[in-house]
Amino acid sequence: QVQLVESGGGLVQAGGSLRLSCAANGRTLSNYDMGWFRQAPGKEREFVTAISWDGGRTYYAGSVKGRFTISRDNAKNTVYLQMNSLKPEDTAVYYCAAGRFTATMAAGYDYWGQGTQVTVSS
């Protein structure tokens, strides 16, 4: 069992930056590919970005490419999401997930965190 805990969310003005962290308790994250998803009120959960177990491959949704960066530190059992040039439409609950594949669909992940709220004001 992998327990994931996100942190780093908050309120930021448009154009600002936040860095989210996803720490794992239990099994080491180096065994898993990792993803970030987000869900805004009234909308479905959507893919944001993913990273392979060794950090060698990354994938981004078109809406965040060039603004967000996913990274991982397996020694610290933590995955990060650096978010720059934030926009009001980035407002959502952000979830990290662990799975056996670098998937862009939520069904591809086995373990999920509880989420952290990101609010971007205009």
Side-chain angles (χ1 to χ4, degrees):
Q1 186 74 13
V2 177
Q3 295 180 325
L4 302 174
V5 180
E6 301 98 334
S7 61
L11 174 64
V12 64
Q13 288 188 335
S17 298
L18 283 175
R19 188 176 82 155
L20 306 183
S21 298
C22 174
N25 297 320
R27 295 182 183 177
T28 176
L29 279 185
S30 62
N31 293 331
Y32 298 92
D33 293 346
M34 299 295 296
W36 285 95
F37 288 74
R38 66 187 182 186
Q39 188 166 17
K43 295 187 177 181
E44 293 187 353
R45 190 168 299 190
E46 66 173 357
F47 170 77
V48 176
T49 180
I51 188 168
S52 59
W53 66 274
D54 61 351
R57 290 174 287 115
T58 57
Y59 304 89
Y60 294 92
S63 58
V64 306
K65 198 168 186 178
R67 300 188 297 122
F68 290 12
T69 303
I70 189 172
S71 62
R72 66 190 300 159
D73 185 341
N74 287 339
K76 295 183 177 180
N77 231 24
T78 302
V79 176
Y80 304 98
L81 178 61
Q82 178 67 44
M83 304 186 295
N84 298 328
S85 302
L86 282 161
K87 304 175 181 180
E89 51 264 43
D90 294 318
T91 295
V93 177
Y94 283 71
Y95 299 90
C96 69
R100 295 295 181 178
F101 306 98
T102 317
T104 60
M105 297 179 64
Y109 293 87
D110 302 312
Y111 303 101
W112 292 82
Q114 82 290 346
T116 185
Q117 176 71 47
V118 172
T119 302
V120 184
S121 63
S122 57

